[in-house]
Amino acid sequence: MGGGKTIGDVVLDLQGISLSFGGVRALQDVTFDVREHEVRAIIGPNGAGKSSMLNVINGVYHPQQGTVSYLGAKRHDVNTHEAAVQGIARTFQNIALFKGMSVLDNIMTGRNLRMKSGLLAQAFRLPSAEREELEHREAVEQVIDFLEIQAHRKTPVGRLPYGLQKRVDLARALAMEPKLLLLDEPMAGMNVEEKQDMCRFILDVNDQFGTTIVLIEHDMGVVMDISDRVIVLDYGKKIGDGTPDEIRGNQAVIDAYLGVSH
Amino acid sequence: MKKNRNLMILFAVLLAGLIAPLVTGASGAGFWVEVLLGGLMAGVLYSLVALGFVLIFKASGVFNFAQGAMVLFAALSVARMAEKMPLWAAMLMAVAIMVVLAFVIERLVLRPLVNQDPVVLLMATLGVTYFIDGFGQTVWGSDIYEIDLGIAREPVMILQSVFDGGILINKDDVAATAAAALLVILLALFFQKTKTGRALRAVADDHLAAQSIGIPLNRIWVIVWSLAGVVALVAGVVWGAKLGVQFSISQVALKALPVVILGGFTSIPGAIIGGLIIGVGEKMAEVFLAPIAVKAFDLAGGGIENWFAYVLALLFLLVLPEGLFGEKHIDRV
Amino acid sequence: MLYRENGQFKTSYRADQQMLPILQDRIFMGLLLVFVFVVAPFVFSNYFFLSILIPFLILALAALGLNLLVGYCGQISIGHAAFMSVGAYAAYNLVLRVPQLNFLVVLVLAGLIAALVGLLFGIPSLRIRGLYLAVATLAAQFFMDWVFARVKWFTNYAPSGSVSTATIDIFGFQINSPVRKYLFLAAVVTVFAILAKNLVRSHLGRAWMAMRDMDVAAEVIGIRPVYAKLTAFAVSSFYVGVAGALWGFVHLGSWEPLAFSITLSLNLLFMIIIGGMGSILGSFFGAFFIVALPILLNRAPDWLGIHLSTAMVSHLESMIFGALIIFFLIVEPQGLARLWSIGKEKLRLWPFPH
């Protein structure tokens, strides 16, 4: 894959990340980088620390050791809000949609960061606030068209089937027009058809908008098909890093997946 | 670490406040000890109510706003029944009533709301509060009633040899405090030594795991709410004997909430220590700080103890969001 | 008239973003406003204005304020009457000390002062949440109760601690009769309800709801928890403060130190639970319920030929409130407002069942 697209420089560089909760070591000295415009997959057995990795990148968790460099700025501690401002968006493993809101409102929250009108302007619905609302509504409608969820705009997200909720989760992230998109198991629990749709969306996002993607996925077929480079975690340690072909031949990875004793 | 440093600072401030009246000469040693003892006695009662609260929170994840209403209800039951029968019989009957109440709450409130958001459960106990308040006063009446524990109420002078002028304490206060302290110890033993107590702790640690090894959750809830009812009963009787059984008791009992904030929602030692800190703190503040405030701001009287506990808890929260013994919360996404 | 949205195609997003996108809703709201401002002043008795409509309107405004915080932003408060008292005493002192101020200005200033105090007590919400916050708001309740009972300056050194107000005068128009009070309140409450509706359908409202539904996800998409929570506390306290000033000046006229006690705070919570959390309409339902139920309870036994004492009625009321809270939390957590919208949905599909 990746034919015809140009992979750029390193945009995200993690050095020696260690993270623990009390006595549990979730990540141990993990180092890897992500290049502009690539699809980078993180794989590994359950509990390998994959989600923790994403949480470190956008500042939900703060690692005890290591640095995160994004767009050249090196940090020990990422601030969640700053990460969002700098164009890092993400989806969640267990769908973290705002369940009391409609599909449209959920996706509109992705634009919140760009909406500037003040409290009084909103309360009195001044023309400036109205105009701003409309501009962003139009941007959101483009995402809705792109992900083909027009019919569900006004539905409360809680009433949607699982596969569609995953799509709305992605839509909300895309509404942020991210430079770097973190996807936490975007295809978990989907049927084959839904998975195909989701693959297509991910590749389109990567292709059309040039968005760099870091994704966690369990379906090996999918991972090997759509990603440019793969990193393998096991018990919080990195045990493999390379192109899908290299990973396929990596003995440590095979052992981890087949369960050879440590 | 950071938490420990904050804790040290907090305790240093509290301790400084505690000994300030002594050091500045605002109070003689005898009077100071008297105030301290008074605070500790009130504190034991707060601990007791807070304990009932922690029991319920640990076992069912419910923030029981109705704890104060339960204290009032239990006290009313005892006071009115004691008019017709001996006190011990009235108390036994009241225990039975609290158990029935626990059954009803489990059946009609907790079971239908299982696995709901904690804030929803809090609101449900708000409903329980309204209901018990109305029900108790419908059945038992809404005047001020007395509970006579049969202990003389005259103050006694002790330790005259140690302090100049001795220390004045009430016998019934001492008896009540002893009873409350005994109950606290019994509860702690119950949790450590009995099979049911261990099951309760298992439920507290992990609902699903406890259920999967065959601990029946519903029965546990009934037991815990009954226990909390008995604890409320003791607190209600002690307070009732002191202040008369009246509506304001349920508001005094609300002070168990700042106590659990100090101690952490899930910690039994936390509830005990928190209760003592609040009890002593508010007494000291009322006796020594209030007159200064009244003079400085030209107030119409003291009454600092009405809010001191809550504001202290608030300040605690800002420094130690998990309380003294609470567990750190980790978000999983 | 059938309640249908078929055939009402929106050709622009602007049309789709109106406050009431469905034609029938607009007609209904128009008729309601005509009734409130044109018909009602002529048909109701003074008793009805004084003991039902006036308290209803003010409590609806307070419930609306609390609903913005609890229902929309998900931050619990069991001490909101404290901010009502701040509004009431602020208005009292403004009128007393700066008599030349127009009462409308007084109202806004009283709201702003309440917002400031609300902001102060909202600060703990940045570090703590849920149940811990509930206790923090109790601190506001008991502290403010104490402040207004003990600090003599606030009550202008009244020996009993109770204060009384003069008739409100707005641009020479005296708010002195029940009908005038009602009309004044109806106007104020209508404006505030529209402002609230605007807020919750703007990005600030979405930020509040996002915090409520999933705070970690909200942070990840760049919503600042500090900003969202504190604005919710401030706006909510502003509304409640204005309601407090109106409660003091228009409804009570004079009040005692404990007029804004924890009982009132709990009643406000009751209103939004019964009415519907996260619903502006629900705040009105809840307020109407809490005003109408005691009156009904006072009357109903007489119709049945039973006589109950006042104390008994208030205990019964408390029991019914309690039972209703539990009932609604179990059966319909979104309250009467949800029943209303289910009714509308049924109507839309009528005569087909689905």
Side-chain angles (χ1 to χ4, degrees):
Chain A
M1 288 299 290
K5 80 176 180 187
T6 46
I7 305 283
D9 297 330
V10 170
V11 283
L12 176 72
D13 188 15
L14 292 99
Q15 290 291 332
I17 300 289
S18 294
L19 173 74
S20 58
F21 302 105
V24 185
R25 307 183 73 175
L27 293 169
Q28 287 177 52
D29 196 23
V30 177
T31 295
F32 78 101
D33 61 19
V34 179
R35 290 171 175 278
E36 192 180 0
H37 205 177
E38 79 175 333
V39 177
R40 186 77 148 113
I42 303 177
I43 62 171
N46 280 329
K50 304 183 298 293
S51 289
S52 294
M53 203 70 237
L54 291 197
N55 283 331
V56 165
I57 295 175
N58 71 348
V60 177
Y61 292 164
H62 303 288
Q64 277 82 16
Q65 272 160 37
T67 55
V68 180
S69 314
Y70 177 64
L71 299 176
K74 190 166 169 179
R75 279 184 196 78
H76 175 64
D77 235 357
V78 181
N79 172 300
T80 317
H81 183 255
E82 221 170 279
V85 172
Q86 290 178 327
I88 303 182
R90 82 172 269 189
T91 66
F92 297 86
Q93 184 180 355
N94 302 315
I95 310 184
L97 289 173
F98 307 127
K99 58 182 187 305
M101 299 158 75
S102 68
V103 168
L104 182 63
D105 280 346
N106 263 278
I107 306 174
M108 283 295 279
T109 57
R111 307 294 296 181
N112 252 49
L113 205 48
R114 296 163 188 267
M115 298 181 76
K116 302 289 179 219
S117 52
L119 196 153
L120 288 179
Q122 293 175 67
F124 289 97
R125 200 82 173 177
L126 298 182
S128 61
E130 176 93 27
R131 211 175 316 118
E132 185 182 51
E133 186 86 9
L134 282 176
E135 274 169 34
H136 289 283
R137 171 78 188 266
E138 269 160 39
V140 161
E141 287 293 340
Q142 283 176 6
V143 175
I144 288 178
D145 285 344
F146 178 77
L147 291 178
E148 299 159 16
I149 42 181
Q150 296 91 335
H152 310 289
R153 262 189 212 106
K154 299 283 172 82
T155 317
V157 284
R159 283 199 215 160
L160 291 179
Y162 183 80
L164 274 173
Q165 290 198 16
K166 281 261 176 201
R167 221 185 267 188
V168 177
D169 196 9
L170 178 62
R172 184 179 63 185
L174 288 182
M176 292 172 70
E177 297 178 32
K179 293 196 192 81
L180 173 64
L181 181 59
L182 314 174
L183 303 173
D184 197 345
E185 302 197 17
M187 284 162 247
M190 285 186 167
N191 61 32
V192 178
E193 241 168 84
E194 288 171 327
K195 275 187 188 176
Q196 282 174 349
D197 280 343
M198 191 52 93
C199 278
R200 180 163 54 87
F201 291 136
I202 293 172
L203 289 175
D204 282 352
V205 169
N206 182 242
D207 238 29
Q208 292 180 18
F209 309 133
T211 312
T212 309
I213 291 173
V214 177
L215 116 143
I216 294 174
E217 187 46 58
H218 274 301
D219 187 321
M220 278 312 128
V222 169
V223 169
M224 297 302 172
D225 265 2
I226 70 174
S227 47
D228 298 301
R229 284 193 299 157
V230 181
I231 162 174
V232 192
L233 294 179
D234 190 24
Y235 289 102
K237 289 189 190 131
K238 184 168 94 169
I239 56 168
D241 191 354
T243 62
D245 287 332
E246 287 164 4
I247 293 299
R248 253 187 279 259
N250 184 324
Q251 192 56 44
V253 176
I254 296 167
D255 288 350
Y257 271 86
L258 296 181
V260 170
S261 59
H262 290 264
Chain B
M1 282 177 19
K2 197 168 162 236
K3 177 175 169 170
N4 286 333
R5 206 197 58 210
N6 288 341
L7 202 61
M8 299 288 275
I9 295 172
L10 260 176
F11 272 112
V13 170
L14 283 178
L15 208 64
L18 187 64
I19 60 171
L22 269 183
V23 176
T24 56
S27 150
F31 183 58
W32 184 82
V33 172
E34 215 173 283
V35 176
L36 181 70
L37 284 179
L40 284 174
M41 285 174 193
V44 171
L45 282 180
Y46 293 151
S47 303
L48 194 59
V49 183
L51 212 57
F53 185 93
V54 168
L55 289 180
I56 288 179
F57 190 80
K58 270 176 86 98
S60 54
V62 176
F63 181 102
N64 183 20
F65 193 77
Q67 193 74 37
M70 281 163 68
V71 170
L72 174 66
F73 181 69
L76 272 176
S77 310
V78 173
R80 290 316 299 275
M81 287 191 297
E83 292 169 6
K84 306 256 162 55
M85 55 182 93
L87 185 67
W88 62 267
M91 286 185 63
L92 276 185
M93 291 280 286
V95 168
I97 291 176
M98 295 317 279
V99 172
V100 171
L101 184 70
F103 261 105
V104 173
I105 289 176
E106 193 278 325
R107 194 74 196 81
L108 296 183
V109 183
L110 297 181
R111 207 180 287 184
L113 285 172
V114 66
N115 288 335
Q116 287 276 7
D117 191 67
V119 171
V120 170
L121 291 167
L122 162 64
M123 292 183 183
T125 65
L126 193 68
V128 174
T129 307
Y130 269 104
F131 190 85
I132 298 181
D133 276 346
F135 181 71
Q137 297 184 70
T138 304
V139 176
W140 302 121
S142 49
D143 293 323
I144 300 178
Y145 304 100
E146 298 205 342
I147 294 177
D148 184 8
L149 294 178
I151 303 168
R153 304 200 66 177
E154 85 265 17
V156 226
M157 202 66 98
I158 57 164
L159 294 179
Q160 267 155 314
S161 55
V162 184
F163 298 105
D164 196 22
I167 297 168
L168 213 54
I169 50 169
N170 284 325
K171 265 192 196 162
D172 56 339
D173 279 354
V174 177
T177 310
L182 187 70
L183 191 59
V184 169
I185 294 169
L186 280 179
L187 279 173
L189 283 177
F190 169 76
F191 271 92
Q192 296 300 333
K193 302 289 179 202
T194 66
K195 197 176 159 200
T196 315
R198 282 198 293 270
L200 286 174
R201 275 168 46 214
V203 173
D205 289 341
D206 191 334
H207 286 194
L208 283 180
Q211 218 166 4
S212 68
I213 57 166
I215 295 175
L217 265 189
N218 293 332
R219 202 191 309 155
I220 292 287
W221 286 342
V222 173
I223 292 174
V224 162
W225 280 75
S226 304
L227 271 180
V230 172
V231 164
L233 176 76
V234 173
V237 168
V238 172
W239 260 319
K242 212 172 151 135
L243 309 170
V245 178
Q246 53 183 323
F247 194 72
S248 64
I249 283 190
S250 63
Q251 289 215 2
V252 182
L254 270 186
K255 290 209 182 126
L257 301 181
V259 169
V260 292
I261 289 238
L262 250 70
F265 281 170
T266 49
S267 161
I268 288 177
I272 296 169
I273 294 173
L276 296 180
I277 292 180
I278 295 265
V280 172
E282 71 173 21
K283 262 291 175 312
M284 288 278 167
E286 186 62 39
V287 174
F288 297 114
L289 208 56
I292 301 173
V294 168
K295 212 174 268 171
F297 301 108
D298 187 23
L299 304 176
I304 288 187
E305 59 188 346
N306 287 334
W307 54 263
F308 184 83
Y310 299 93
V311 174
L312 186 66
L314 195 61
L315 295 179
F316 241 80
L317 276 180
L318 289 177
V319 186
L320 289 174
E322 295 95 28
L324 283 177
F325 300 90
E327 295 135 20
K328 189 157 170 53
H329 174 89
I330 299 170
D331 283 315
R332 293 188 66 113
V333 283
Chain C
M1 187 182 67
L2 285 172
Y3 187 73
R4 290 286 153 77
E5 56 180 281
N6 304 25
Q8 299 181 28
F9 299 112
K10 304 294 185 302
T11 49
S12 70
Y13 296 133
R14 184 183 293 274
D16 194 42
Q17 309 227 109
Q18 293 174 73
M19 193 180 291
L20 301 167
I22 299 173
L23 178 67
Q24 284 85 346
D25 280 341
R26 288 200 293 278
I27 294 172
F28 175 77
M29 201 43 89
L31 288 175
L32 184 67
L33 287 176
V34 168
F35 178 79
V36 166
F37 287 100
V38 182
V39 182
F42 295 103
V43 297
F44 292 125
S45 66
N46 278 352
Y47 170 81
F48 199 78
F49 284 126
L50 288 177
S51 51
I52 297 186
L53 288 180
I54 288 174
F56 155 67
L57 284 169
I58 303 174
L59 288 177
L61 184 62
L64 176 54
L66 181 62
N67 216 336
L68 291 178
L69 182 70
V70 181
Y72 284 95
C73 194
Q75 309 296 308
I76 179 107
S77 167
I78 40 186
H80 242 50
F83 307 123
M84 275 183 91
S85 71
V86 172
Y89 282 99
Y92 171 75
N93 279 288
L94 284 166
V95 170
L96 182 78
R97 290 162 212 282
V98 200
Q100 62 272 29
L101 275 183
N102 186 300
F103 189 71
L104 292 177
V105 178
V106 168
L107 267 189
V108 172
L109 287 177
L112 287 176
I113 293 170
L116 208 66
V117 177
L119 210 58
L120 205 66
F121 281 98
I123 289 173
S125 71
L126 306 179
R127 293 208 56 184
I128 55 178
R129 47 181 150 181
L131 306 174
Y132 283 91
L133 186 60
V135 181
T137 57
L138 272 183
Q141 177 73 54
F142 290 109
F143 186 70
M144 295 324 294
D145 276 355
W146 177 83
V147 164
F148 294 123
R150 304 291 185 185
V151 183
K152 296 178 199 160
W153 187 83
F154 288 115
T155 51
N156 197 29
Y157 300 90
S160 62
S162 65
V163 298
S164 54
T165 61
T167 306
I168 304 165
D169 182 319
I170 295 171
F171 304 118
F173 185 79
Q174 300 265 320
I175 312 286
N176 50 9
S177 70
V179 179
R180 285 180 174 192
K181 285 181 176 177
Y182 160 78
L183 280 174
F184 171 62
L185 288 176
V188 171
V189 172
T190 306
V191 169
F192 275 99
I194 291 171
L195 295 183
K197 181 75 188 167
N198 279 341
L199 273 180
V200 300
R201 67 198 181 105
S202 300
H203 64 259
L204 186 60
R206 288 192 292 268
W208 290 345
M209 291 185 269
M211 288 304 301
R212 170 195 70 191
D213 287 346
M214 188 68 73
D215 53 357
V216 180
E219 240 183 296
V220 164
I221 57 172
I223 291 168
R224 278 205 192 84
V226 175
Y227 183 73
K229 287 181 184 175
L230 287 187
T231 48
F233 260 99
V235 173
S236 168
S237 311
F238 178 87
Y239 269 71
V240 171
V242 170
L246 292 171
W247 189 251
F249 275 74
V250 182
H251 180 55
L252 298 177
S254 63
W255 67 91
E256 309 268 312
L258 284 178
F260 301 92
S261 69
I262 187 168
T263 314
L264 185 56
S265 291
L266 298 183
N267 280 346
L268 289 178
L269 262 180
F270 170 85
M271 287 179 234
I272 64 171
I273 295 172
I274 301 285
M277 275 182 277
S279 157
I280 287 175
L281 190 63
S283 315
F284 285 84
F285 286 148
F288 189 75
F289 203 89
I290 210 166
V291 172
L293 185 68
I295 290 175
L296 189 71
L297 272 180
N298 261 316
R299 295 280 174 94
D302 285 343
W303 297 334
L304 298 173
I306 311 163
H307 182 73
L308 294 177
S309 69
T310 328
M312 186 56 95
V313 168
S314 89
H315 300 153
L316 269 181
E317 191 188 303
S318 177
M319 282 168 70
I320 293 175
F321 280 177
L324 277 173
I325 289 180
I326 296 165
F327 174 82
F328 269 94
L329 286 174
I330 293 170
V331 178
E332 190 48 83
Q334 283 160 308
L336 292 168
R338 175 77 187 131
L339 294 181
W340 171 264
S341 67
I342 288 175
K344 277 206 324 194
E345 213 160 292
K346 286 265 186 304
L347 201 59
R348 213 168 84 190
L349 298 169
W350 188 84
F352 307 105
H354 298 291

